[in-house]
Amino acid sequence: MHPSRIPALALAADLVAVVVFAAVGRISHAEADSLIGLAGTALPFLIGAAVAWATPWVRASPASLQAGFVVLALTAGIGFLLRLGFLGRLPLSFAVVAVVSLAVLLLGWRGLSGTVARLRGPREPSHG
């Protein structure tokens, strides 16, 4: 894979992870399966992910676990603050499940990616 593609793929993976988190949460609560509802659930966390991606820590090495922890912290933290502001409540049980779910999704793909990269070993750059 060409190194210049890694940031775009990492960003896409993070955004998909947040949307999957929101979709699974809505399904588990038997909420209406509308795109507007999904967007409303995901949006606070997508904003948090966007803020994380604006930091130099994530942009410097977006597929690293360190970047994953920054994305996790800001996605969850900002998402919770926005949900609290809009809904006026943030149940502890939701916060715990959300952090664990987001950690599995946002750190999980990075861990798998790092493992695959180590197993494949160093590659010579292609010329062509």
Side-chain angles (χ1 to χ4, degrees):
M1 174 175 311
H2 198 275
S4 66
R5 293 185 189 162
I6 291 172
L9 292 172
L11 175 60
D14 282 347
L15 297 179
V16 167
V18 171
V19 172
V20 166
F21 155 73
V24 169
R26 290 183 62 79
I27 290 167
S28 71
H29 293 288
E31 294 178 338
D33 57 349
S34 72
L35 283 178
I36 293 173
L38 177 60
T41 300
L43 189 59
F45 299 96
L46 289 170
I47 291 169
V51 170
W53 270 84
T55 68
W57 303 288
V58 175
R59 287 193 323 266
S61 184
S64 70
L65 282 176
Q66 294 85 354
F69 281 107
V70 173
V71 174
L72 172 61
L74 290 172
T75 298
I78 291 171
F80 293 157
L81 288 173
L82 291 172
R83 273 185 64 98
L84 181 61
F86 286 115
L87 300 178
R89 60 186 174 79
L90 180 65
L92 179 60
S93 59
F94 168 76
V96 170
V97 170
V99 168
V100 170
S101 300
L102 286 167
V104 167
L105 294 166
L106 295 169
L107 300 176
W109 76 256
R110 286 175 168 88
L112 288 172
S113 171
T115 299
V116 168
R118 280 189 299 283
L119 290 174
R120 292 181 79 193
R123 299 277 177 169
E124 290 295 320
S126 62
H127 301 287

